[in-house]
Amino acid sequence: MMRKAIYITIICISFISINLYSQAKKPTLMIVPSDAWCIQNGYATKFENQGSIQTIPDYKRAFQENTDVLQVISQINGMMAERGFPLKNMESAIKTLESNSAVDNMMTSKSGSDTNESPIDALRKIAKADIIIQLTWTVNKVGPKRSISFNLQGIDAYTDKQIATSTGTGAQSFTAELPVLLSEAVIAHIDNFSSTLQSHFDDLFNNGREIILRIQTWQDWDEDLESEFDGEELGIIIEDWLADHTVKGRFSTTDMTESMALFEQVRIPLYNDKGRAIDARRYIRDLSKYLKNSPYSIPNKLVTKGLGRVTLILGRK
């Protein structure tokens, strides 16, 4: 009898542990109005960047001037929260972003000469979301009746790859408010959409998330990636470090010359030993320290773009 009780207790504890473990694996989301919606509705800014005109969404003005934005995003937030997904509030992220003067100056610069990140890249740094859901919606009117068409795109915040999509049009209504119309249109698709997001995150948890690493060298540096240290070329030394520190040794050397190297599909752990999320900057900082120390003693500078792209420039800080 005692053994049976112990056996049942162990099963219960195991079940609870598995349940808690699965809950801990949920990806963090941030829902944003899509670039297309912002541009179509006049919430965008144009500027010249190295001779070309670029158009970027003006999220702050969209939130301030269009009450539908907050209502629609809140509606989708609620639907994802009901399915257990942690959410980052975009409006709060924008306010945090504005308090960072360096990033704020970058976003509001009209010359574009120093603009290295898009507004969504800057928001990703602040929000630290795993997945960005871009939302586009259109209100259709036929006489007094209204319906809503929507498009949900799940984007990996680190790679910009589309990992899930869902589109549809809801039923027509005489009186329903916009959030109700949206809910009715999305409800039939949301479970498949969220399931696809979860499957993607499960793959990241098991195989690591992807980042992109670019190695460059300063022109006035006396060495390069073909220089030898203890009988081994520097480019090979960096490849060996990646092989030892990526999840399952996974990465691709896309390009390698004496002055630059490009590594894609670099799989890094989601969390460090302390359970903290790891982004590209935090991960490559260890490589930066490795190269700065003996026997290499290579000064270098880290430049990041968003969460998943980083450049390590060798030769000086």
Side-chain angles (χ1 to χ4, degrees):
M1 188 70 178
M2 179 64 70
R3 288 182 179 179
K4 183 178 180 181
I6 293 173
Y7 179 71
I8 292 174
T9 301
I10 292 173
I11 291 177
C12 291
I13 292 173
S14 299
F15 177 78
I16 293 171
S17 299
I18 292 172
N19 188 47
L20 290 174
Y21 178 75
S22 64
Q23 290 178 5
K25 288 172 59 181
K26 287 287 186 183
T28 302
L29 312 178
M30 184 170 70
I31 301 171
V32 305
S34 69
D35 288 8
W37 185 92
C38 289
I39 293 171
Q40 289 172 4
N41 289 274
Y43 302 110
T45 300
K46 293 183 178 181
F47 66 92
E48 184 178 344
N49 186 10
Q50 298 180 353
S52 63
I53 302 299
Q54 294 189 2
T55 303
I56 59 173
D58 190 337
Y59 299 124
K60 179 183 177 181
R61 195 159 63 85
F63 271 95
Q64 289 179 336
E65 298 179 9
N66 192 315
T67 56
D68 288 344
V69 174
L70 185 58
Q71 290 180 332
V72 167
I73 289 181
S74 296
Q75 187 71 19
I76 301 298
N77 275 346
M79 298 176 78
M80 297 306 297
E82 289 173 356
R83 286 154 180 81
F85 288 90
L87 293 149
K88 297 288 186 175
N89 184 278
M90 184 184 181
E91 191 175 21
S92 298
I94 291 173
K95 292 177 181 177
T96 303
L97 185 60
E98 285 194 311
S99 68
N100 186 325
S101 59
V103 178
D104 186 55
N105 289 337
M106 175 199 70
M107 289 184 62
T108 57
S109 172
K110 302 301 181 184
S111 66
S113 58
D114 296 322
T115 301
N116 295 316
E117 292 182 307
S118 68
I120 193 63
D121 279 330
L123 278 173
R124 287 171 184 174
K125 275 186 174 182
I126 299 297
K128 300 287 187 182
D130 298 301
I131 297 170
I132 304 297
I133 298 179
Q134 294 196 38
L135 172 61
T136 305
W137 69 96
T138 304
V139 177
N140 310 305
K141 295 181 180 180
V142 180
K145 294 182 179 180
R146 296 196 308 165
S147 66
I148 193 165
S149 299
F150 76 92
N151 183 6
L152 288 173
Q153 290 178 295
I155 308 294
D156 186 299
Y158 285 69
T159 63
D160 285 333
K161 292 180 179 179
Q162 180 173 297
I163 56 175
T165 185
S166 181
T167 61
T169 300
Q172 293 182 339
S173 172
F174 284 102
T175 59
E177 297 295 326
L178 180 59
V180 177
L181 289 172
L182 179 68
S183 178
E184 292 175 348
V186 173
I187 194 67
H189 307 269
I190 195 68
D191 286 330
N192 287 337
F193 181 74
S194 59
S195 177
T196 304
L197 297 181
Q198 185 62 49
S199 296
H200 172 74
F201 191 73
D202 289 342
D203 173 69
L204 299 185
F205 195 91
N206 293 322
N207 299 306
R209 69 163 89 251
E210 290 185 28
I211 68 166
I212 296 173
L213 167 64
R214 182 182 295 275
I215 305 292
Q216 295 180 337
T217 60
W218 292 107
Q219 291 183 350
D220 57 358
W221 189 39
D222 293 333
E223 310 288 350
D224 57 42
L225 293 177
E226 294 180 353
S227 298
E228 292 192 359
F229 294 81
D230 290 340
E232 193 70 89
E233 287 188 2
L234 179 57
I236 302 300
I237 291 170
I238 293 173
E239 284 187 312
D240 288 343
W241 187 92
L242 289 172
D244 291 338
H245 292 83
T246 49
V247 176
K248 301 178 182 179
R250 294 185 178 182
F251 69 94
S252 297
T253 305
T254 304
D255 197 5
M256 175 81 77
T257 69
E258 64 178 14
S259 60
M260 66 82 63
L262 178 63
F263 302 100
E264 297 181 303
Q265 297 176 323
V266 179
R267 292 277 190 157
I268 69 172
L270 265 68
Y271 307 104
N272 61 17
D273 295 338
K274 297 180 180 179
R276 296 172 182 168
I278 302 175
D279 58 18
R281 180 192 62 83
R282 185 181 293 271
Y283 173 79
I284 298 301
R285 189 171 59 185
D286 290 340
L287 173 59
S288 170
K289 293 178 181 178
Y290 177 73
L291 295 176
K292 284 178 181 178
N293 293 334
S294 179
Y296 312 113
S297 302
I298 301 173
N300 56 75
K301 178 184 176 91
L302 267 176
V303 180
T304 61
K305 184 176 182 181
L307 294 171
R309 286 163 288 177
V310 63
T311 299
L312 188 62
I313 309 175
L314 308 180
R316 55 184 167 90
K317 185 67 175 175

